[in-house]
C-alpha cells in the first residue's frame, strides 16, 4: 500500500508539473491579455522574458489592448520599444540574456521589420549591442549609403565578424572539394610515369590480372595533368543585388573570395540591378565586396549576362553562376538567347534561385521553366551544398539538385 501511495503521489506531482509548464508556455505565447484564458501571473525571470516579448510583439503597458490577439498572430497589437536608442539598447541586452542566439537573431530581424528600427542601426553603440548574423549584414548593406562616417568602422567590424565565421565554416571544404574536381577534370589517358594515378589505373585494369604472374597488365593508364600554376577553370559569379537577395549576396561574396584564393581558378564577381558592377578587383576582401554592393533597385539580368558573356575567353573551361530570383526587368527573350548561346559554346551555366539557408525562395517560375528547357535548371542552394554544385559544374557532370527543387 505504501508503494502504491508513493507511486500515485509521484505520478500526480509529475502530471501537475507538466500541466503547469504547459500553462506557463501558453501564457508566454498569448501575452497576458484579459482574454487569453490562462489567468497566470508571471514572476522573476519569466516576467522579464515576457516584458522583452511584449516590447516587440505585445500591446505595451498594462494588460494589453484587450483584443485577445496572441503574440503569434500579431493582430492589432502595437509594440513598446519606441524610438529611443537607450531603451532599444537595453532591450537588445535583455533578449541576449534570456534567449539563445538563434532566437535573438529572429527577434532582432522582427524588430527591424516591425518597428522600423533600421535608422537606429546607424549608431555605433547600437551596432555593438546586436547579435551579428547574415540578415543583419544585409540590413547594414542596405543602409550603407546613408551610414555616417562615425558608424562605418563599427559596421565593417560587424560585417567582418560574420564573414569570418562563414569563411571558417565553408572555406576548407570548398577548397578541398574543388581541388579534387579540378584534378579529376585534368586527368589524361597517356600520363608521364610520375603523373600516373595508380589507384585508379589498377582498378581500371583488374580484368587484366594474370594470376600465374601475380600481376596486372596496365593496358589503360590513368593519370593527372602535370602540376602547373596555370589557370584550369574560369568562374563567373553573377549576383542579383535586389533587396530580396541580401543573404545570397553575403554568401556569394565569401565564396568568391575563397575561389579567388585558388590559383587554378580565375574568378570574376559581378553584381547587378539595372546597372552592372564588376567587383573582381576587390575579391581579396569579401567585406570590401559587400560594401561595394547596393542592395535594392530594379533587375536587368539580360544586361548582366551580356557583360559576363563578353568577358568569357575560354568557353569550354568556364562556369557561369547566375544567382537571382529571375524577376527580369530587362528583355526576357534576349536573356534566354544569351544563356542558350553560352551553353552552345561549351560554357557550363548554373542558375541558383538563392544561395542561403532560407528555404524555398520566391522566384519567377516562368523564367525558371524556360531555363530548365535550355538544360539549365534553376534551384535554391544552401551554402553547404554549393561546393558540390561547383565541383559537378567543373567536371561537367549532372548537378546535385536538391529534391525540393
Amino acid at each position: 500500500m505504501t508503494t502504491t501511495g508513493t507511486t500515485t503521489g509521484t505520478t500526480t506531482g509529475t502530471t501537475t508539473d507538466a500541466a503547469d509548464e504547459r500553462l506557463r508556455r501558453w501564457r508566454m505565447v498569448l501575452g497576458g491579455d484579459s482574454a487569453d484564458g490562462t489567468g497566470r501571473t508571471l514572476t522573476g525571470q519569466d516576467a522579464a522574458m515576457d516584458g522583452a516579448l511584449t516590447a516587440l510583439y505585445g500591446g505595451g503597458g498594462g494588460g494589453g489592448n484587450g483584443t485577445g490577439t496572441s503574440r503569434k498572430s500579431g493582430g492589432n497589437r502595437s509594440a513598446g520599444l519606441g524610438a529611443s536608442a537607450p531603451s532599444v539598447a537595453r532591450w537588445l541586452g535583455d533578449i541576449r540574456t534570456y534567449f539563445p542566439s538563434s532566437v535573438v537573431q529572429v527577434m532582432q530581424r522582427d524588430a527591424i521589420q516591425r518597428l522600423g528600427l533600421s535608422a537606429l542601426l546607424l549608431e555605433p553603440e547600437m551596432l555593438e549591442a546586436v547579435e551579428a548574423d547574415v540578415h543583419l549584414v544585409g540590413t547594414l548593406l542596405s543602409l550603407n549609403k546613408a551610414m555616417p562616417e562615425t558608424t562605418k568602422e563599427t559596421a565593417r567590424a560587424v560585417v567582418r565578424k560574420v564573414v569570418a565565421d562563414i569563411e571558417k565554416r565553408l572555406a576548407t571544404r570548398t577548397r578541398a572539394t574543388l581541388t579534387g574536381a579540378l584534378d579529376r577534370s585534368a586527368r589524361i589517358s597517356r600520363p608521364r610515369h610520375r603523373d600516373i594515378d595508380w589507384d585508379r589505373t589498377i582498378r581500371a585494369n583488374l580484368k587484366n590480372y594474370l594470376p600465374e604472374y601475380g600481376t596486372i597488365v596496365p593496358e589503360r593508364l590513368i593519370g593527372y595533368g602535370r602540376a602547373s600554376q596555370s589557370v584550369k577553370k574560369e568562374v563567373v559569379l553573377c549576383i542579383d543585388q535586389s533587396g530580396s537577395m541580401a543573404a545570397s549576396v553575403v554568401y556569394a561574396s565569401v565564396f568568391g573570395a575563397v575561389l579567388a584564393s585558388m590559383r587554378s581558378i580565375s574568378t570574376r564577381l559581378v553584381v547587378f540591378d539595372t546597372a552592372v558592377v564588376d567587383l573582381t578587383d576587390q575579391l581579396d576582401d569579401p567585406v570590401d565586396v559587400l560594401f561595394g554592393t547596393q542592395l535594392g533597385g530594379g533587375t536587368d539580368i539580360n544586361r548582366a549576362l551580356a557583360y559576363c558573356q563578353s568577358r568569357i575567353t575560354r568557353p569550354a573551361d568556364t562556369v557561369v553562376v547566375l544567382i537571382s530570383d529571375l524577376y527580369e526587368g530587362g528583355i526576357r527573350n534576349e536573356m534566354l538567347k544569351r544563356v542558350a548561346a553560352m551553353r552552345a559554346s561549351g560554357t557550363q551555366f548554373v542558375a541558383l534561385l538563392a544561395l542561403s539557408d532560407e528555404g524555398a525562395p520566391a522566384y519567377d517560375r516562368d523564367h525558371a521553366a524556360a531555363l530548365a528547357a535550355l538544360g539549365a535548371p534553376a534551384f535554391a542552394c544552401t551554402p553547404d551544398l554549393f561546393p558540390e554544385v561547383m565541383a559537378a559544374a567543373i567536371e561537367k557532370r549532372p548537378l546535385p539538385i536538391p529534391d525540393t527543387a
Side-chain angles (χ1 to χ4, degrees):
M1 292 296 292
T2 302
T3 302
T4 303
T6 302
T7 303
T8 302
T10 301
T11 302
T12 302
T14 301
T15 302
T16 301
D17 290 344
D20 188 61
E21 176 62 15
R22 282 197 299 272
L23 188 63
R24 169 184 170 273
R25 289 173 177 269
W26 273 113
R27 164 61 182 82
M28 298 291 281
V29 169
L30 295 171
D33 284 342
S34 57
D36 75 7
T38 63
R40 176 70 180 261
T41 300
L42 300 177
T43 58
Q45 182 170 303
D46 284 351
M49 292 173 64
D50 187 62
L53 290 168
T54 298
L56 176 57
Y57 302 110
N65 58 12
T67 62
T69 305
S70 72
R71 286 195 180 111
K72 188 170 184 176
S73 62
N76 298 319
R77 285 174 170 270
S78 59
L81 284 178
S84 164
S87 67
V88 175
R90 285 194 297 273
W91 178 79
L92 288 168
D94 287 344
I95 64 174
R96 293 176 73 173
T97 299
Y98 301 127
F99 302 101
S101 177
S102 57
V103 175
V104 169
Q105 291 170 6
V106 172
M107 293 179 72
Q108 286 178 172
R109 207 179 319 157
D110 286 348
I112 292 169
Q113 293 173 352
R114 291 166 61 94
L115 308 180
L117 297 183
S118 297
L120 292 178
L121 293 177
L122 301 180
E123 301 184 21
E125 298 81 3
M126 193 64 58
L127 282 178
E128 292 172 357
V130 296
E131 187 81 19
D133 69 342
V134 169
H135 302 285
L136 178 65
V137 170
T139 301
L140 292 177
L141 296 180
S142 69
L143 297 171
N144 183 24
K145 303 305 179 185
M147 195 174 289
E149 290 299 323
T150 54
T151 305
K152 283 189 175 179
E153 281 309 308
T154 306
R156 289 182 71 88
V158 171
V159 173
R160 190 171 296 283
K161 178 181 182 300
V162 174
V163 166
D165 289 344
I166 294 173
E167 193 166 5
K168 182 179 179 181
R169 176 166 68 93
L170 299 173
T172 300
R173 179 164 168 264
T174 299
R175 291 192 185 99
T177 301
L178 296 190
T179 297
L182 289 165
D183 287 343
R184 288 188 293 273
S185 69
R187 283 200 173 99
I188 55 178
S189 58
R190 298 182 63 184
R192 301 187 181 201
H193 184 271
R194 64 182 177 182
D195 295 327
I196 295 174
D197 181 345
W198 287 108
D199 181 62
R200 286 176 61 87
T201 295
I202 291 171
R203 282 189 281 129
N205 290 279
L206 286 175
K207 63 182 179 180
N208 301 323
Y209 177 66
L210 301 178
E212 62 271 27
Y213 296 103
T215 190
I216 290 174
V217 178
E219 240 177 32
R220 176 172 165 244
L221 297 178
I222 300 175
Y224 301 103
R226 295 186 65 187
S228 71
Q229 300 302 318
S230 63
V231 171
K232 296 178 181 177
K233 293 290 181 179
E234 297 182 2
V235 174
V236 181
L237 298 177
C238 186
I239 309 168
D240 183 344
Q241 60 176 353
S242 58
S244 61
M245 302 296 294
S248 297
V249 172
V250 176
Y251 282 115
S253 298
V254 174
F255 277 119
V258 173
L259 295 177
S261 71
M262 301 177 66
R263 294 181 180 179
S264 297
I265 297 178
S266 173
T267 305
R268 182 176 295 276
L269 189 142
V270 176
V271 298
F272 68 92
D273 41 37
T274 52
V276 180
V277 181
D278 193 326
L279 297 175
T280 303
D281 291 343
Q282 301 176 37
L283 270 175
D284 58 331
D285 188 345
V287 176
D288 285 342
V289 170
L290 288 170
F291 277 93
T293 63
Q294 185 172 346
L295 294 177
T299 308
D300 193 337
I301 302 174
N302 177 55
R303 175 178 289 188
L305 291 183
Y307 177 84
C308 295
Q309 189 178 24
S310 71
R311 296 301 186 271
I312 296 174
T313 57
R314 301 163 55 205
D317 294 317
T318 300
V319 179
V320 174
V321 183
L322 172 66
I323 304 174
S324 172
D325 55 17
L326 302 180
Y327 286 110
E328 171 65 314
I331 307 172
R332 176 184 187 273
N333 290 337
E334 288 298 314
M335 175 190 76
L336 296 175
K337 285 180 182 178
R338 291 191 191 284
V339 174
M342 282 189 273
R343 285 183 52 78
S345 70
T347 297
Q348 295 296 105
F349 189 88
V350 179
L352 301 181
L353 302 170
L355 178 57
S356 69
D357 289 307
E358 293 298 279
Y363 63 95
D364 189 308
R365 296 180 180 275
D366 290 339
H367 287 162
L371 286 175
L374 295 174
F379 57 96
C381 177
T382 64
D384 288 332
L385 180 63
F386 185 73
E388 302 297 334
V389 170
M390 289 302 302
I394 286 172
E395 296 181 62
K396 298 186 177 181
R397 55 183 171 83
L399 302 178
I401 301 173
D403 292 338
T404 54

